[in-house]
Amino acid sequence: MTYLEASRKKAEALRSREHVRILALETSCDETAAAVIEDGRRILSNVVFSQIDLHELYGGVVPEIASRAHMEACDRVVDEALSQAGMGLRDADALAVTYGPGLVGALLTGVNCMKGLAFAAEKPLIPVNHIEGHVSANFLTHPDLEPPFLCLVVSGGHSHLVEVAGYGEYHLIGQTVDDAAGEAFDKAARVLGLPYPGGPRIDALAEEGDPGFLSLPHPKLEGRYDVSFSGVKTAFLNAVHGMEQRGEKLPKADLAASFRFAVCDQLAEKAERLLRDRIAAGARPVMALAGGVSANRELRRRMAALCEGLGVRLVMPRLDLCTDNGAMIGAAAYYQLMKGEIAGLELNAVPALRFV
Ligand code: KG4
Ligand code: ZN
């Protein structure tokens, strides 16, 4: 029997088991992260090793450095996740790994690490889409949450409004026509001379600033639920350069608050339009947030106020589960395992993997 045939049999048997524990690894960008998740909902351990210190000097993630750092950290992070869950590799029912989207070298390190472990320990291997992982972080924070629900996915590479119709079933409703929200935050931070990653720094600075300081464009777009951040970014950049040329001291907190307001305003406006449309059509939608930018304080407050006003349930991942982690990969993997979605040893990294 080949590895894959044996895995299929094991995966089939796991579907009727009372409890299933999955060891998951995430290495798509600059976090080496492993976790053990029970039944897609309970975190038995969640270990995140951040490489930020290594990349800070360069103002962004250096792919080659990321791959090498993942290689050095993988074993240690996986061992730590198992030990914190009080188990050995043998006790894991299945293994899961992010296979895209992300940096090819970084992804390959994780994929190869888990292929090796899965083959050696004779466990099924579940290939997980990183963005599906972000959406699934909500299942860990809200154990009663079930599809269907609407989700605003905002990360370094994605700004999507989707409908989660079922587990692993996504329908695209709206998206950015240019930059992703996280990417825009990172670029604005760079203009203000803030270190990488810029999003959290802008967010913290903005708490002390005046969002009305600088008025930024609010684009009119063809797509009813689409967003665009490139015009906001350019206007911001021009304003900052203009101040610098005039020798003015940059009011960084006010600038950060103005930029954050412009980004969150567009996201909240499109979410509101969608919710109102659904409610008008007789639906009772549930709204979720996902991805690194869902840690943004202004976005969380805006969405909370919006949903409260509309009488809509809002779910958001716990703050530490918004940014990259292994737990969310283990949550997504569980529902794939239940559908028999497992990989053979030919599994490869797919850097531009889509989710809708
Ligand atoms: O989801 P994530 O950890 O990685 C990707 O899959 O891309 O998202 C990282 C992005 C970065 O652009 C980072 O600056 C942004 O999320 N981010 C934030 C905040 N925390 C992380 N942006 C705004 N406010 C935050 N609090
Ligand atoms: Zn991510």
Side-chain angles (χ1 to χ4, degrees):
M1 204 181 336
T2 66
Y3 162 77
L4 186 56
E5 284 162 357
S7 285
R8 284 214 177 96
K9 283 214 159 124
K10 288 185 180 140
E12 183 59 40
L14 286 173
R15 289 164 73 169
S16 50
R17 268 269 294 281
E18 197 187 345
H19 294 297
V20 173
R21 291 189 288 187
I22 296 177
L23 169 68
L25 179 66
E26 152 64 38
T27 65
S28 68
C29 191
D30 60 347
E31 246 86 44
T32 318
V36 179
I37 301 301
E38 190 171 64
D39 305 333
R41 299 276 173 167
R42 271 182 302 286
I43 302 176
L44 302 187
S45 67
N46 186 29
V47 179
V48 181
F49 171 71
S50 169
Q51 303 177 1
I52 284 179
D53 296 354
L54 301 177
H55 301 288
E56 204 173 346
L57 187 65
Y58 306 95
V61 179
V62 183
E64 179 65 22
I65 294 178
S67 312
R68 283 172 187 271
H70 283 310
M71 221 143 81
E72 279 165 22
C74 266
D75 287 355
R76 194 159 33 89
V77 168
V78 164
D79 282 352
E80 185 62 30
L82 285 169
S83 114
Q84 282 187 19
M87 42 190 268
L89 180 58
R90 202 168 291 126
D91 306 314
D93 296 304
L95 309 189
V97 67
T98 307
Y99 76 111
L103 301 168
V104 66
L107 290 165
L108 270 175
T109 313
V111 166
N112 285 331
C113 170
M114 287 314 241
K115 278 206 282 197
L117 288 181
F119 182 68
E122 302 179 335
K123 308 280 182 188
L125 178 63
I126 308 153
V128 178
N129 180 314
H130 178 81
I131 302 299
E132 293 195 43
H134 274 302
V135 173
S136 305
N138 283 295
F139 298 136
L140 298 167
T141 308
H142 307 279
D144 63 323
L145 176 68
E146 281 183 30
F149 56 90
L150 301 168
C151 190
L152 176 62
V153 183
V154 272
S155 70
H158 288 72
S159 295
H160 285 46
L161 256 177
V162 299
E163 169 144 36
V164 183
Y167 291 107
E169 232 183 284
Y170 309 92
H171 302 312
L172 180 65
I173 297 171
Q175 62 184 322
T176 176
V177 298
D178 39 58
D179 297 352
E183 191 183 353
F185 271 115
D186 292 339
K187 283 183 186 159
R190 210 185 256 240
V191 173
L192 293 182
L194 304 172
Y196 173 85
R201 316 248 183 189
I202 293 245
D203 192 20
L205 253 182
E207 291 291 294
E208 314 295 323
D210 170 16
F213 174 77
L214 183 67
S215 161
L216 292 163
H218 196 100
K220 292 261 173 297
L221 299 167
E222 245 173 63
R224 185 164 173 74
Y225 308 111
D226 286 347
V227 288
S228 159
F229 300 115
S230 138
V232 178
K233 182 190 68 191
T234 308
F236 183 77
L237 206 127
N238 290 341
V240 171
H241 285 170
M243 295 177 85
E244 281 171 341
Q245 276 164 5
R246 292 191 295 276
E248 293 169 23
K249 188 171 180 301
L250 295 181
K252 289 192 182 178
D254 292 338
L255 288 165
S258 303
F259 187 82
R260 183 178 71 167
F261 177 81
V263 172
C264 295
D265 197 41
Q266 264 198 70
L267 293 170
E269 183 193 283
K270 297 305 156 73
E272 175 168 6
R273 183 176 283 180
L274 174 61
L275 288 170
R276 286 191 185 280
D277 286 352
R278 293 292 168 104
I279 292 166
R284 292 193 60 207
V286 171
M287 185 77 218
L289 299 186
V293 182
S294 64
N296 188 274
R297 282 170 259 198
E298 172 73 4
L299 184 64
R300 291 171 89 93
R301 287 193 293 256
R302 281 287 294 268
M303 292 300 296
L306 166 67
C307 291
E308 198 187 327
L310 294 173
V312 164
R313 179 184 181 199
L314 172 69
V315 296
M316 304 185 270
R318 210 172 71 189
L319 274 182
D320 63 315
L321 299 178
C322 288
T323 43
D324 293 349
N325 62 83
M328 66 185 199
I329 302 302
Y334 174 78
Y335 294 99
Q336 291 182 225
L337 180 66
M338 292 301 115
K339 289 194 272 183
E341 291 174 14
I342 56 167
L345 295 172
E346 73 292 340
L347 178 66
N348 205 346
V350 184
L353 183 67
R354 299 177 63 93
F355 101 110
V356 274

